[in-house]
Amino acid sequence: MSNPFTRTLRSLEGDLAAGSILGILSVVTLLGLWSVWFVAARLPVYVTSEEARLEVAGAPRTVAADVSGRIVRVAAEVGQRVAAGQTLFELDSGVERGRLAEEQARQSATSREIESLRRSEATEQQGWARAREVGAAAVAEARSRYEAAVSAAELAEDEAGRNARLYQSGLLPELDVTRARSLARQRHKEAEALRQEEARLLVESGRDLQDRQARVDQIRRDLAGLQGQFGVSAATSGRLREEEKHRVVRAPISGRLAEVARVQPGSVVDAGAQLATILPPGKLQGVATFLPSSSLARIRPGQPARLRLEGFPWTEYGSLDSRVAWVSDEPRQGRVWIVFTLAERSGSTIPLRHGLPGTLEVEVERVSPVALLLRAAGWPRT
């Protein structure tokens, strides 16, 4: 005969049996699901960079001083937008300007002397041409008189001959013969004098032309010397202008000033000193370096990545989705270099700009948890 207590015990035993079965079934189900996840799930494997930073896609340009000198004007500020050719710094160019003024004054004086010599050369050449014409005319006139005198002498000689024959025939007195011979000799002397006059005029004309030509040659030598001086002075002026240009530091490209040296009027800079850095307009991208042991042959273009920036905790700001764009063919300076691009920003409050440092994690593969466990145990990859 059963009592209420017995019936209660049997009821409790039934409930305990049912609860155990349900617990076992739950555990088995969980173990099964976990086993399926452990084998079938795919977890991302990341490779972390040694360092990473954001950069503008175009290469930044460094602005440096071409020459040493003292700064007299600063027209550059960090963050300022500049155009190509815009003046950023000016160095003292007083010495160059003074020397340039001296050379320009020397050029002006030399130019006036050259112009004066050219006028003298033209005058001498005109005088030489006129003297040649006058000399030639005088010689021609003297030759004409000489030829006329020779004809007159020959005529007088013939007359004297005829008178002599007539005297021998008794048709003419001796006095007429003497006079005819005397006239013939006179005509010959006059012809000789005119010949000598022609020769003298020819010599004098040649000497005058030689003297004038010598003056022209001397003027040309002086002109060549002055032109040489003018050329040297012009070259010096050009060099001084170039030196003066180098004392004005201009922006080589358009962009934004990312860095500006801490200089002010009165500061002295050396040649080659970096004064500013200009970022050209362009899209931000990133550059990261990895150890070859962990990344060589594992990182490839197109792989997804995430960037965590220093100074912006990822727990608060999150990370930036990225993708590998380029991988160096071989290590440089013991590191593998890659370039990565940023995905379109989706609500990120991080003020992205050139130079921000951070860490890049590249997803190199996806494997199951069991594969990860086997790798940790030393099993080879499959």
Side-chain angles (χ1 to χ4, degrees):
M1 179 173 187
S2 62
N3 53 38
F5 179 76
T6 304
R7 289 194 300 270
T8 301
L9 287 176
R10 285 199 297 269
S11 177
L12 290 174
E13 288 175 355
D15 292 341
L16 288 173
S20 297
I21 292 173
L22 290 175
I24 292 172
L25 289 175
S26 298
V27 170
V28 171
T29 301
L30 290 174
L31 287 176
L33 292 174
W34 181 83
S35 298
V36 172
W37 174 86
F38 193 67
V39 174
R42 291 294 181 267
L43 301 179
V45 178
Y46 291 95
V47 175
T48 304
S49 67
E50 288 288 294
E51 60 181 14
R53 60 173 283 167
L54 292 178
E55 293 183 353
V56 174
R61 289 288 297 273
T62 298
V63 181
D66 292 334
V67 295
S68 59
R70 180 173 58 85
I71 292 179
V72 295
R73 178 172 173 246
V74 177
E77 295 181 359
V78 174
Q80 176 183 351
R81 295 283 180 180
V82 297
Q86 182 175 334
T87 299
L88 303 179
F89 304 89
E90 289 186 16
L91 278 65
D92 183 20
S93 59
V95 175
E96 286 73 15
R97 284 197 299 270
R99 293 178 58 191
L100 181 59
E102 292 178 0
E103 290 299 331
Q104 288 176 338
R106 185 176 294 110
Q107 282 181 261
S108 180
T110 305
S111 179
R112 289 193 297 270
E113 291 182 17
I114 289 175
E115 187 61 28
S116 176
L117 282 179
R118 283 175 175 168
R119 289 195 298 267
S120 298
E121 180 187 9
T123 301
E124 287 293 338
Q125 287 181 332
Q126 292 174 359
W128 183 89
R130 286 195 301 270
R132 181 181 180 183
E133 292 176 359
V134 171
V139 170
E141 184 181 357
R143 181 176 295 109
S144 178
R145 291 199 303 268
Y146 167 69
E147 290 175 352
V150 169
S151 297
E154 290 177 351
L155 183 60
E157 188 69 29
D158 291 341
E159 183 66 22
R162 286 195 299 272
N163 289 343
R165 288 192 295 274
L166 291 173
Y167 169 73
Q168 291 176 357
S169 300
L171 299 175
L172 194 68
E174 183 179 1
L175 180 58
D176 290 340
V177 174
T178 303
R179 286 177 181 175
R181 289 177 179 174
S182 176
L183 181 60
R185 287 193 297 271
Q186 181 65 31
R187 292 289 184 266
H188 281 295
K189 288 180 180 180
E190 290 175 356
E192 179 63 20
L194 289 174
R195 186 190 65 77
Q196 293 178 0
E197 177 68 13
E198 178 189 1
R200 181 184 63 79
L201 289 175
L202 188 62
V203 171
E204 289 181 354
S205 177
R207 186 182 299 115
D208 184 44
L209 291 178
Q210 289 178 353
D211 293 342
R212 289 180 180 275
Q213 186 62 48
R215 288 196 295 271
V216 171
D217 293 341
Q218 183 61 46
I219 290 174
R220 288 176 177 173
R221 285 193 294 269
D222 295 341
L223 185 59
L226 288 175
Q227 288 174 335
Q229 294 177 16
F230 186 87
V232 172
S233 183
T236 303
S237 297
R239 178 176 56 80
L240 290 172
R241 289 191 186 93
E242 286 299 319
E243 290 180 2
E244 189 175 7
K245 287 182 182 179
H246 288 316
R247 294 192 171 272
V248 178
V249 181
R250 303 181 185 275
I253 59 173
S254 299
R256 180 176 59 84
L257 290 175
E259 297 177 354
V260 176
R262 291 186 176 181
V263 293
Q264 57 187 357
S267 301
V268 177
V269 296
D270 295 327
Q274 181 174 335
L275 299 177
T277 300
I278 301 178
L279 296 177
K283 189 176 180 180
L284 280 176
Q285 64 179 18
V287 177
T289 59
F290 294 81
L291 290 174
S293 59
S294 62
S295 61
L296 200 61
R298 300 186 69 190
I299 299 180
R300 297 179 300 276
Q303 291 175 328
R306 60 191 182 190
L307 176 67
R308 295 176 178 177
L309 294 172
E310 296 180 9
F312 300 91
W314 71 272
T315 54
E316 179 180 355
Y317 292 91
S319 57
L320 300 177
D321 293 333
S322 308
R323 188 167 295 277
V324 177
W326 174 83
V327 183
S328 61
D329 296 332
E330 58 183 20
R332 290 184 297 169
Q333 301 176 351
R335 297 290 185 272
V336 175
W337 291 72
I338 77 162
V339 175
F340 61 92
T341 57
L342 298 177
E344 294 295 331
R345 299 176 62 184
S346 57
S348 176
T349 58
I350 301 176
L352 299 182
R353 63 181 183 272
H354 175 86
L356 286 179
T359 302
L360 185 70
E361 297 176 348
V362 178
E363 182 183 322
V364 294
E365 61 179 331
R366 286 180 174 265
V367 297
S368 64
V370 65
L372 290 176
L373 182 62
L374 291 176
R375 289 180 187 177
W379 283 74
R381 297 184 181 184
T382 58

